[in-house]
Amino acid sequence: MNKTIVLLLSIFSLISCKTSEVGILVEKGLLIQNAQITSPENQTMSPDNFIVVDGDEIVYVGKDKPNLKGSFTIIDARGRYIIPGLIDGHVHVTGTDALSDEEELDNPEIVKKFREQLPKSYLYFGYTTLIDLGTAKPERLTDFQKTEIRPDLYYAGGGAVIGNGYGLSNWKDDIPNFIYQENEDYPIPEKYLKENHTPKAVAERIAASGAIVLKTYYEPGFDPTQPRFPTPSKALMEELKTEAHKNNLVLVVHGNSLEAHQFLGNAKVDIVAHGLWNWGSHRLDSTNAIPEEIKQVLDVEIENNVGYMPTLQVINGLRELTDSDYLNNPELEHVFPKNLIEYYKANSNVMYANVFGGAPKNIIATNFNRISNQGKINLKYMFDHGGNILFGTDTPSSPTFGNPPGYNGYLEMLEMEKAGVPPSKILAMATIENAKAFNLDQLYGTVESGKKANLLVLNKNPLQDITAYNDIEQVIINGIPFDRKTFSAQKGAE
Ligand SMILES: [Zn+2]
């Protein structure tokens, strides 16, 4: 935050005059006038507000005209809507191009262009704050943070994977923060010291790395014909929660099955990083009813106020691998460099086979549509019963072109609306509710004095029309306004 502001609190309340002026001395700033603020906490502000930004901080919001001293950029926002910058609570910025390590080595030019574009793609769709929920390559977070104009990035660092569990089968060496859990089938390899892999040691290491989240996993596996991955015991999860909180870390746990949500709801973790779309032996039928057993699991999560990230785009993004027309969507040209789209087009069948093997595309598409609908029906249930729903896309969830950076957030919002969540709730989740969930609400989530000047100028009212999130006029990041189109990948190609 810019601490150089000098606030002149001389308020010229002119007696017997209806208008008053607020004197503000700013070194270098931004003035937004005629601002219709559409903030989740104050949704019906009149269209005659002033917003004053000093450096990267909002220093004034109000109807009284500020009497400004200093040099200012002025935005006349008449007829437009100002909202806080959006927060995606679940991304992975280090793996977003969906290429394998080998493919990246073979295509350095594609990778270079993509990494340059990645921060801009998030900004193009208004995402000014990202939470990276786990990476095998923490050094790439630093690369992302070196970009001059980019979303603010917070992270979990290397995930606290359960020893030899999901994400760490065969004790790969590149996840340094694994948790060792006694298990006679999987003794810890000799080269590791057990005391370096206790919840306490791992939480302290993660906090020292600058992370704000401790991310762990409850994933028995996706293929019932294969042996189960080890999952954390109740006692271990309790210890992880205690150690995470001692180190001011938010405990976020991967889980998307009935078994995982049942365990995590009862364990009262802070946030489950996925919706409950995997219904176990249950199937959504034409009645669209939620089975009683699923309802009971959701009820426990609601009762315990566990954060629930629907991440509907995980399933949709995988389904897109079955759609030969998907890569012709013109929106993709704003977020993927041209050479990457061409690469995807040339390799889409290989990418499909890498994920789904020889399974027929029409069967995969039908199944994934059903699973997607299971996720949406659960989301509506959570909303109707006061669940603590948070906004996260899991971009990218897997090696697919179906989770495009930035655009994936917009698609997630469209899906949420389709599920029956009202626009006011969608705005709140993607701003203040995410900010609170990650203990970032001092900085983000509303248009208020003292908060960071990450703002969006929209051409439509997002409370009336969800497509407002794809009709952004300007993105203000760190107090500096940019025309949205400067962030388009098409711009980079010119
Ligand atoms: Zn994820």
Side-chain angles (χ1 to χ4, degrees), residues 13 33 69 91 99 120 123 151 170 190 193 207 234 244 248 266-267 273 336 338 377 410 434 459 462:
S13 297
Q33 53 195 25
K69 310 265 186 299
V91 302
L99 305 185
K120 297 180 196 165
L123 293 174
N170 305 320
E190 270 178 23
L193 290 173
K234 253 186 187 170
N248 295 319
N266 282 308
F336 285 140
K338 215 171 173 201
I377 282 172
Y410 178 59
N434 261 1
N459 290 315

Side-chain angles (χ1 to χ4, degrees), residues 90-92 133 215 254 273-274 394-397:
H90 188 162
V91 302
H92 302 279
L133 288 188
K215 168 86 180 284
H254 162 100
H274 292 290
D394 195 11
T395 303
S397 60

Side-chain angles (χ1 to χ4, degrees), residues 222-253:
F222 307 102
D223 182 350
T225 64
Q226 296 297 312
R228 274 177 69 100
F229 291 126
T231 48
S233 68
K234 253 186 187 170
L236 181 69
M237 192 54 78
E238 198 53 46
E239 212 182 326
L240 273 170
K241 189 164 67 169
T242 305
E243 294 301 331
H245 292 174
K246 253 191 217 167
N247 287 282
N248 295 319
L249 299 167
V250 180
L251 178 62
V252 181
V253 190

